[in-house]
Structure formats: C-alpha cells, structure tokens
Amino acid sequence: MKIFSSTQIKNWDDYTIAHQPVTSNELMERAAMKCYEWLIESDFNNFTFKIFCGKGNNGGDGLAIARMLTENKRIVSVYILESGGLGTDDFQNNLARLYTCTQDINFIQSEKQFPQINHDEIIIDALFGTGLTRPPEGIAGMLIHHINKVGATVISVDVPSGLFSDKSSKESIVVKADYTLTFQQYKLAFLMAENELFFGKIIVLDINLHEKFYKQHDARNELIDIDLIRKIYKPRRAFSNKGHFGHACLVAGSYGMMGAAVLAAKACLKSGVGKLTSVVCKKGYDIMQISAPEAMCMVYGNTFIKDFKDAEHFNALGIGPGIGMHESHKELLQLLFKNFKGAIVIDADALNIISENKKLLSLIPANSILTPHPKEFDKLFGKSNNDFERMELALTKSQQYKIYIILKGHHTLITTPNNKGYFNFTGNAGMAKGGSGDVLTGILTGLTAQGYTSLEACLLGVYLHGMAGDIAANKFSQEAMIAGDIIEGLGEAFKQVVK
C-alpha cells in the first residue's frame, strides 16, 4: 500500500476532480459525509459538539460536518479561527450553507473568545490540514494549547492540527487527538514514534479518490500488507526435499549468552530452512545440541567464537546474537565479509563491533541485511534529531553501502538500496523484550537460505515476525509473552499468509 506525500495527495484530489464527475466542493462533501457517518456509527450520537475550523479546506470539512450534525438534531457550536481574510472557495461555500441551519457560528480573534469546554463534550479539530507549512503561532498556537488542556475527547479531521505530514513536528504545537479521521490512506507522520501522543486511533476513510492515479504514480514509501506478502511467499512443491530449502549458518552465542543463539536457531528452523548449522563456542555446544537438536553444530573457540571463516558453502549466513564484544571479533567479521559471497544478516553485537570499527561498513557484502534498533542505528551512522531525519539517513546509507536496513520499532522501517522504504504493520509492544531481535535474525537467515531475495526476506520476515508476535500477545498478553512465544507463533503466522 503506497504512502503518498502531502503534495501527491493534493494532486490525487485534483486528478479525481478532473477525471470523475465531481467538483471540489462535492469531494469535500464526500469526505465530510464519511466523517459524519463514522461519528454516528461510533455512538457519538448524544454528545454536544464543539467544532474548531480554520479557513482552509480542512476548515471547510469541519463546516460541512457541522451542518450534517446540525441537520440531524445534534447540538453543535462552531468556532472559526479568524485569519483576517476570506477562506478558500470551498470554505466560503460551506460557511454560507451552514448559516442556513444554525446561527451558532463564532469567530475567534483573541484568547478571550476561547469557549469553555466541558469534559463530556466532543471537540472536532478542523483547524489545519496537510497543507500546513509552518508551526501554528500566536492565537492559533494558544487555541491548540486550550484544546489540549481541557481533557475532552478530541477528533481530528485528516491530521491533528499542527502536525506536518512529511516532516518532523517536534518544533510545532500539535493538537492531541484521541481519534484521527484521515482520508484515503495513512500519512507518513502517523508511522513515526515521535508523533505517538498526537494522533490517537487512526481511522482511514475511503473517499473514492480516482484509482487510476494510485496505479500510475509511485510512492517512495509503502506499507507492507498481506497482498504484497502473498505475492512474495513461495509455496512448497510436493516432491521437495531439504536440499531445496537451503543450508543456513548462524554464528551466535558465547559463554553466558547462549540464549540468544538458541532463540535465533529455533526461529531459523521454524522459518522453513532445509538445514541449519550453528557455529558456537565450546562452552555453548551442549546447550545448543540439547535446545535445538534439529541444528548441526560447529565449535570454534572456548568461551566465545574465534577463528571461524569457512562459510562459503552455506546458502545464507547470520551473525551477531550473543557473540559478545571481543577484540578478535573485528577480524572475525573481516574474514566472513571477505569470504562469504552472498548477503549476510547482521545483528546485535556484530552491529556494535561495526559501530566501533566503521571501516568494516565498506566491507559488508552487497545486499546484506542489517537489523539495528534506533540506538544501534545511531551508533552505526550518527545521531538524528528526529525520526524523519533517521529515516532519511537510513535510506541514504542503504544506497551508499548497497545494503538493506531493518530499523526496528513499532512500525519497523525497511530501507533499500534503491531509495525505497517499507513500513510494517504487524507486531505489538509485547515484543519489546530481550530476545525478540534474535528471533528476527533467525527468521531472516532462514528465508535467505531458502532463496528469497534480500528484499523478499526483509518484507516476509518482518511481517511474519510481527504477526507471530500478535498471535503470542493474543494468547499470553503483551506483558506475559516472551521471545520464545514469538517462535511458537510462526506456524500460525505462516498459515495466515497462505490462506
């Protein structure tokens, strides 16, 4: 599912008006009707509404919603933020229509005109939409602060006022909405952790923008959805044997940290790989053999892995979970990067070693997959001021080093060497626990060994990982679930993909 920029969405509106039998005002009416229907269906029937409007088209949406509620016997008061000039044509049209059914229309020119709002009233925020270009200031900023401090339920139209769609809003005052009724598709801002306090529950309302525009225009960013995953997934043939599904190698674990290696190995096996060899230290050998009997073992080093370099005959290589921060690991990575000709899945301590030896970045084989969380990412590539900057940096580094970066988070971001980003929509906060990343490394290594491209492995792996986490949370709760439960959920996750 494509995520268009605010400019593309404006162009999509214009294209719809030009190619459908619909005017700009009629398209606004369509959007307002969808909002009105959601309000009624969501049992907001018996509430009093206070609707705050700017003089742009977002405000026009608010006026149309006010009219629909008023005509259907709801108690509505409208407050228009005065800007000193006329509103847009569609705003003015809807203002004239609203005057035919109510006189409870108020203009705000100063803080003294802010209305009292009761806790049991519903605020509809239609002050500013996706066309906002600078942070609200002056009376507008004070009004947003007034709305935020009341404690009433707030419903924003399209985006919370003050929130930029395509860039950071850290320097902006933003309405804190309980619900955001957005049109046609997710906005990029809704996928950034820094905006979590602003948009509440996102409701996407389909306003029937022209399908041809969507098909004809590319988007830099996309949401991973089930349709994309089902196109990637490769069903097994009846006459398959284990040789068809690859031989994976995981370099993981050290004395006291074998749990990470075991989790990665079990996840790799559950991903469908034909064979797995776990490279472990001597102190971890018995643990791995007992915990994951389906995996073969190779021993290098005593308390941590040392001197392993013979990885050429494997179909996929994953390295990092639990290997520790040992001085000889720099040489270990150098040798593996040099000798292994395919893509490598790089996680955890391997990422930390690279962050302390930045020259290793240029040695990473093309199409390799790095799986940092934000702090690991910052150590690798430098700190960012906000989530949008970090996204841009990830895209830049993916291109520079010809690698795939999985930036882990609530909506995990996958960046690619061709300057494209994918956001994941499966997963939950119960996965924010030790071991979850090790599970992902195992899944990615197993999928890569099976012949999935790096992009396919990233998309399918992240999606399955999150879905298995959702299955675990439904069974055990987000609080009680652990990383091993994600592994146990992989079977059901695969079943949902192949339905």
Side-chain angles (χ1 to χ4, degrees), residues 265-280:
K266 286 185 173 182
C268 185
L269 292 163
K270 283 277 190 177
S271 75
V273 72
K275 294 188 292 183
L276 168 63
T277 293
S278 289
V279 174
V280 297

Side-chain angles (χ1 to χ4, degrees), residues 115-242:
Q116 179 180 341
I117 304 170
N118 299 321
H119 293 291
D120 58 352
E121 292 181 310
I122 303 298
I123 296 173
I124 295 182
D125 157 41
L127 290 169
F128 304 111
T130 57
L132 187 69
T133 58
R134 56 189 174 87
E137 55 188 18
I139 190 67
M142 289 189 290
L143 179 56
I144 290 175
H145 179 70
H146 177 69
I147 291 171
N148 285 343
K149 73 178 183 180
V150 170
T153 297
V154 179
I155 301 170
S156 288
V157 177
D158 206 15
V159 294
S161 292
L163 186 72
F164 299 116
S165 294
D166 306 321
K167 63 180 182 179
S168 179
S169 303
K170 278 193 169 183
E171 304 303 319
S172 182
I173 182 168
V174 182
V175 166
K176 294 179 180 177
D178 297 286
Y179 301 89
T180 298
L181 310 183
T182 200
F183 300 130
Q184 205 65 40
Q185 62 168 207
Y186 258 71
K187 310 301 188 283
L188 185 60
F190 301 157
L191 302 169
M192 301 298 178
E194 67 183 52
N195 294 328
E196 180 183 10
L197 295 177
F198 301 133
F199 49 73
K201 184 176 182 180
I202 303 293
I203 310 296
V204 180
L205 302 176
D206 185 354
I207 59 172
N208 298 317
L209 295 182
H210 204 294
E211 187 176 355
K212 195 171 182 180
F213 181 95
Y214 181 87
K215 291 180 177 178
Q216 289 180 343
H217 291 78
D218 291 328
R220 190 187 190 197
N221 297 296
E222 293 190 24
L223 289 177
I224 306 170
D225 58 24
I226 190 62
D227 292 334
L228 176 59
I229 293 303
R230 286 175 176 160
K231 290 176 183 176
I232 291 170
Y233 171 74
K234 300 174 183 178
R236 297 192 165 210
R237 294 184 178 181
F239 287 86
S240 300
N241 62 63
K242 64 184 178 183

Side-chain angles (χ1 to χ4, degrees), residues 193 325 347-356 358 370-384 386-387 390-391 393-394 405-410:
M325 296 288 289
D347 183 35
D349 287 330
L351 295 175
N352 291 325
I353 292 159
I354 294 170
S355 70
E356 294 185 359
K358 296 286 175 49
L370 279 61
T371 64
H373 55 61
K375 285 187 178 179
E376 289 171 335
F377 180 88
D378 289 351
K379 286 173 65 178
L380 279 167
F381 301 117
K383 289 187 177 181
S384 301
N386 56 67
D387 291 339
R390 188 175 289 111
M391 178 192 73
L393 184 58
I405 297 174
I406 296 176
L407 185 54
K408 294 181 286 195
H410 179 51

Side-chain angles (χ1 to χ4, degrees), residues 481-497:
M481 66 176 284
I482 57 176
D485 298 327
I486 302 172
I487 298 171
E488 295 308 310
L490 280 171
E492 184 59 35
F494 270 109
K495 286 182 181 180
Q496 292 189 28
V497 166

Side-chain angles (χ1 to χ4, degrees), residues 229-417:
I229 293 303
R230 286 175 176 160
K231 290 176 183 176
I232 291 170
Y233 171 74
K234 300 174 183 178
R236 297 192 165 210
R237 294 184 178 181
F239 287 86
S240 300
N241 62 63
K242 64 184 178 183
H244 291 121
F245 303 111
H247 189 175
C249 175
L250 278 171
V251 182
S254 58
Y255 183 68
M257 299 179 70
M258 284 307 298
V262 170
L263 288 168
K266 286 185 173 182
C268 185
L269 292 163
K270 283 277 190 177
S271 75
V273 72
K275 294 188 292 183
L276 168 63
T277 293
S278 289
V279 174
V280 297
C281 62
K282 185 177 180 180
K283 290 286 188 179
Y285 175 78
D286 290 343
I287 294 171
M288 182 60 72
Q289 290 279 264
I290 293 168
S291 301
E294 299 89 348
M296 297 172 283
C297 284
M298 296 170 64
V299 176
Y300 286 84
N302 185 32
T303 60
F304 59 89
I305 298 165
K306 192 174 182 181
D307 299 327
F308 173 67
K309 60 181 179 180
D310 302 318
E312 302 95 293
H313 60 284
F314 295 107
N315 300 110
L317 176 63
I319 185 168
I323 62 173
M325 296 288 289
H326 301 281
E327 192 171 338
S328 62
H329 283 354
K330 176 184 176 182
E331 182 181 357
L332 173 68
L333 290 178
Q334 284 177 325
L335 289 170
L336 290 174
F337 291 170
K338 178 181 178 181
N339 294 333
F340 191 74
K341 303 305 179 186
I344 302 176
V345 180
I346 306 170
D347 183 35
D349 287 330
L351 295 175
N352 291 325
I353 292 159
I354 294 170
S355 70
E356 294 185 359
N357 301 274
K358 296 286 175 49
K359 291 182 179 179
L360 289 172
L361 279 167
S362 61
L363 303 179
I364 296 173
N367 298 313
S368 289
I369 302 169
L370 279 61
T371 64
H373 55 61
K375 285 187 178 179
E376 289 171 335
F377 180 88
D378 289 351
K379 286 173 65 178
L380 279 167
F381 301 117
K383 289 187 177 181
S384 301
N385 293 317
N386 56 67
D387 291 339
F388 287 84
E389 281 190 10
R390 188 175 289 111
M391 178 192 73
E392 292 296 334
L393 184 58
L395 287 162
T396 298
K397 295 303 180 181
S398 283
Q399 294 176 83
Q400 180 180 350
Y401 294 111
K402 297 181 173 57
I403 56 176
Y404 292 82
I405 297 174
I406 296 176
L407 185 54
K408 294 181 286 195
H410 179 51
H411 294 303
T412 290
L413 169 65
I414 299 166
T415 60
T416 73

